[in-house]
Amino acid sequence: MILMVVFGLVAILGVAAVFTSLKKRNFLGFIFAAGSAVVFGWFTVMTVINSGFPVAR
């Protein structure tokens, strides 16, 4: 479940990179940042749906 948390953080950073690349008009960076945000975000959401939230110990 730690992997899901890490992938969730990567997805959040990908969304931040999307806005930064749009502000700087870096279109190749936008494509890669949006792609990684979508892929890692989808994996995180589907893991939460399948396995539930990680439990704190």
Side-chain angles (χ1 to χ4, degrees), residues 1 4-5 8-9 13-14 20-24 30 32-33 35-36 44 47-48 50 52-54 57:
M1 284 301 190
M4 182 202 62
V5 174
L9 292 174
L13 288 175
T20 303
S21 63
L22 281 177
K23 189 171 86 170
K24 294 184 179 183
F30 169 76
F32 282 110
S36 65
T44 304
T47 304
V48 166
N50 189 27
F53 289 105
R57 293 183 181 185

Side-chain angles (χ1 to χ4, degrees), residues 25-57:
R25 296 184 187 210
N26 183 1
F27 297 113
L28 185 61
F30 169 76
I31 291 170
F32 282 110
S36 65
V38 166
V39 168
F40 285 110
W42 179 256
F43 179 77
T44 304
V45 167
M46 293 311 289
T47 304
V48 166
I49 289 173
N50 189 27
S51 302
F53 289 105
V55 244
R57 293 183 181 185

